[in-house]
């Protein structure tokens, strides 16, 4: 029998082989948690966790059909303290290619993860998204903003899946007494965001580093906030450890237009790559900016890594991959 | 072998033992369709279909776990021409008591129904709802209005389940080529809406007929539109038979305040029942009114039954139940 006074907290991370998930796993392992990652490695990769060796448990499973914890060599964990549900395709090209899978992991995958939390009386954290605000008509967006999502648009496979996941999470909190946390993540970038991920930072940086023209959708005046992954993970850990059951925005309030991002990328990479303007995709939000008052006041959190610094670190990682 | 030139169209109706569903089944049977009803009779009842005897097939199943068509005495239908997905708790007391089941039938139930449509190359009709507009900031609501739903509020178990169902339906249309129809039903009333259903018309009428005080939530100035079920079913049939793949509002544009409804109920029932004001529930929309331009133009549909006439017919039915 393990001595409960010295037992490491056991944390399940779905999507833990993904970009944000793998950084979160690093932090949890660093602080001594016992971590089991469940991932189907469709958009994630075990490579992101290779450096952790046998310090973590790994289950290759589609959480939409169950977390597969029975498949662990030593059997399912006897105690689970927290279930962190990050599994989902997260970049538009990834989810637009997999609309049914994206809807499944947001609904049935979230239910499977919540069931594990319910059975183990474990804390549950949902990685939700700024996409639940859709194309917002309020700037910046506080958590109380109800959003402006097109339920039948092409992106609804992601946006509505995440809105559903929030509703399901709250239903488990209300009906089953599960202790829940909901993080609404805004654009995040950094090492392990794949060059081909399709998000604007990885696209522009990769193109610039390869001396190719940089793709700007529309006129480039649409604004985004860009959060460095270390800051995002710091916020997730603080939220997990807090008693805050309300949704919390985690993002960087500093807004940049895509054209300003292009300039920053040119400076960081030292290139003078041209811009090529492409057609704006359907339902692309024109502006997105977090109001992080709640995270500041309740979690004492705010982002610390500036754009130039973060871009430089990400560029270093991308260069190491080439 | 059935002669395909004389074969009756085979239509599956999930939730066909419910209030709207059973009227829809009546109309389909009337016009010669071969109908199979799938219902778990949690909020519906086989009593609603008793008069149809052996003219329909019945499967008692929770569509969230499958449509159970193998359970039919003659086996599953060889051909299915249409799947009409109406299964869901639909009144606030019903879904607030069953949040997890409501989320399940909107997500997994819709997926199961869409899978049957996909496999059979059948047309799929989703009964969506005006609740996807939430507490609207635009009046009346056209189908293009994106809504104002609180993803974490108590009613989100219904609203987000239906928004998810719309997103899933469109994903099957785009990714799998399923021919889909989406009806957004506004408040509907009429025979077979159970006295204890909890919706405002059944509440007030039942109370007045029993000489009890009529419950008005809040000050009663919130407005609603009330559609008579025969009109709703006429709209559903027209939509099913049309080639309209966009969502279509089906409701009555005439707005009444709850206090005006109280007056109409008093006239119809000939009572002078008092009003008692109760606290407004969380997230109760203050106004809801359909813009039915699309139904008028594309389906040639508009409601025909006025409020006094409809209330009188519904009161007759309620009296027969007592």
């Amino acid at each position: 029998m393990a001595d409960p006074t010295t037992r490491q907290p056991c944390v399940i991370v779905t999507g833990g082989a993904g970009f944000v998930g793998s950084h979160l796993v690093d932090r949890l392992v660093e602080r001594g948690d016992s971590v089991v990652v469940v991932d189907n490695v469709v958009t994630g990769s075990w490579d992101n966790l290779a450096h952790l060796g046998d310090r973590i448990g790994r289950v290759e499973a589609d959480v939409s059909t169950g977390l597969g914890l029975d498949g662990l060599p030593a059997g399912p964990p006897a105690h689970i303290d927290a279930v962190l549900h990050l599994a989902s395709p997260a970049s538009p090209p990834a989810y637009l290619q997999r609309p049914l899978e994206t809807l499944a992991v947001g609904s049935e995958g979230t239910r499977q993860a919540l069931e594990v939390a319910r059975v183990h009386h474990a804390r549950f954290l949902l990685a939700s998204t700024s996409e639940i605000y859709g194309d917002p008509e309020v700037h910046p967006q506080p958590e109380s903003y109800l959003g402006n999502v097109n339920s039948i648009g092409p992106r609804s496979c992601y946006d509505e899946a995440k809105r559903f996941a929030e509703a399901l999470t709250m239903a488990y909190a209300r009906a089953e007494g599960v202790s829940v946390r909901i993080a609404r993540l805004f654009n995040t970038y950094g090492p392990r965001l794949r060059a081909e991920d399709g998000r604007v930072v990885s696209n522009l940086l990769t193109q610039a580093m390869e001396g190719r023209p940089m793709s700007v959708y529309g006129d480039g005046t649409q604004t985004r906030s860009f959060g460095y992954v270390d800051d995002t993970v710091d916020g997730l850990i603080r939220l997990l450890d807090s008693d805050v059951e309300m949704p919390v925005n985690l993002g960087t309030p500093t807004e940049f237009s895509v054209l300003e991002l292009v300039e920053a990328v040119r400076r960081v990479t030292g290139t003078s790559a041209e811009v090529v303007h492409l057609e704006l995709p359907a339902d692309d939000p024109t502006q997105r900016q977090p109001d992080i008052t709640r995270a500041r006041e309740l979690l004492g959190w705010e982002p610390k890594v500036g754009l130039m610094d973060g871009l430089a670190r990400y560029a270093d990682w991308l260069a190491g991959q080439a």
Side-chain angles (χ1 to χ4, degrees), chain A:
Chain A
M1 287 279 289
D3 174 356
T5 59
T6 60
R7 187 173 65 82
Q8 292 178 296
C10 175
V11 181
I12 310 293
V13 184
T14 77
F19 159 50
V20 174
S22 64
H23 286 278
L24 180 59
V25 170
D26 279 341
R27 278 287 303 276
L28 293 167
V29 168
E30 218 168 82
R31 75 176 194 181
D33 290 1
S34 165
V35 178
V36 174
V37 171
V38 183
D39 204 301
N40 65 354
V41 292
V42 165
T43 59
S45 166
W46 293 123
D47 293 348
N48 289 332
L49 298 170
H51 59 285
L52 293 177
D54 59 5
R55 296 171 67 194
I56 58 169
R58 292 169 178 79
V59 177
E60 191 160 318
D62 178 353
V63 299
S64 304
T65 60
L67 270 61
L69 299 175
D70 293 334
L72 284 165
H79 306 272
I80 294 174
D81 300 280
V83 178
L84 316 186
H85 181 46
L86 281 75
S88 178
S91 75
Y95 59 70
L96 291 172
Q97 277 165 33
R98 300 172 185 86
L100 300 183
E101 294 88 334
T102 303
L103 286 153
V105 77
S107 56
E108 190 57 14
T110 303
R111 193 188 70 78
Q112 296 277 1
L114 277 160
E115 273 296 306
V116 171
R118 182 184 68 77
V119 168
H120 285 266
H121 305 286
R123 191 165 283 196
F124 178 83
L125 183 148
L126 173 69
S128 185
T129 168
S130 60
E131 296 283 338
I132 70 118
Y133 301 126
D135 191 2
E137 290 171 324
V138 167
H139 300 282
Q141 294 89 50
E143 290 86 351
S144 58
Y145 177 59
L146 300 187
N148 190 41
V149 167
N150 181 1
S151 60
I152 59 165
R155 295 169 75 114
S156 69
C157 63
Y158 183 67
D159 304 358
E160 295 295 347
K162 288 291 191 180
R163 291 183 63 98
F164 181 94
E166 289 199 1
L168 188 64
T169 298
M170 292 306 296
Y172 266 82
R174 290 191 182 102
E176 302 289 344
V178 175
S179 176
V180 304
R181 307 290 181 271
I182 298 176
R184 291 181 179 157
L185 307 187
F186 284 65
N187 263 351
T188 303
Y189 71 99
R192 303 181 199 158
L193 181 64
R194 297 170 304 146
E196 66 278 17
D197 178 83
R199 274 179 276 199
V200 60
V201 177
S202 51
N203 281 354
L204 294 178
L205 205 48
T206 308
Q207 290 167 333
M209 289 170 71
E210 294 173 354
R212 292 186 287 135
M214 291 190 272
S215 308
V216 170
Y217 295 90
D219 62 6
T221 57
Q222 70 271 38
T223 62
R224 292 288 186 275
S225 73
F226 304 102
Y228 190 69
V229 66
D230 289 3
D231 284 328
T232 305
V233 166
D234 179 46
L236 286 169
I237 297 272
R238 283 173 190 250
L239 177 61
L240 173 66
D241 293 345
S242 78
D243 56 5
V244 178
E245 295 229 328
M246 305 177 277
V248 177
N249 287 338
L250 295 176
T252 298
T254 321
E255 256 186 316
F256 295 90
S257 72
V258 172
L259 290 180
E260 287 170 325
L261 178 64
V262 162
E263 273 320 301
V265 165
R266 281 183 178 140
R267 291 216 306 279
V268 163
T269 58
T271 68
S272 54
E274 294 292 294
V275 158
V276 55
H277 288 273
L278 303 174
E279 205 185 332
L280 206 61
D283 290 338
D284 194 52
T286 52
Q287 201 184 6
R288 191 75 67 61
Q289 186 194 12
D291 178 330
I292 60 165
T293 306
R294 189 176 285 178
R296 276 202 178 100
E297 290 180 355
L298 299 185
L299 305 179
W301 176 87
E302 61 180 10
K304 295 196 167 63
V305 182
L307 184 65
M308 295 302 293
D309 184 16
L311 282 179
R313 295 198 223 173
Y314 182 31
D316 278 352
W317 179 82
L318 282 170
Q321 299 296 298

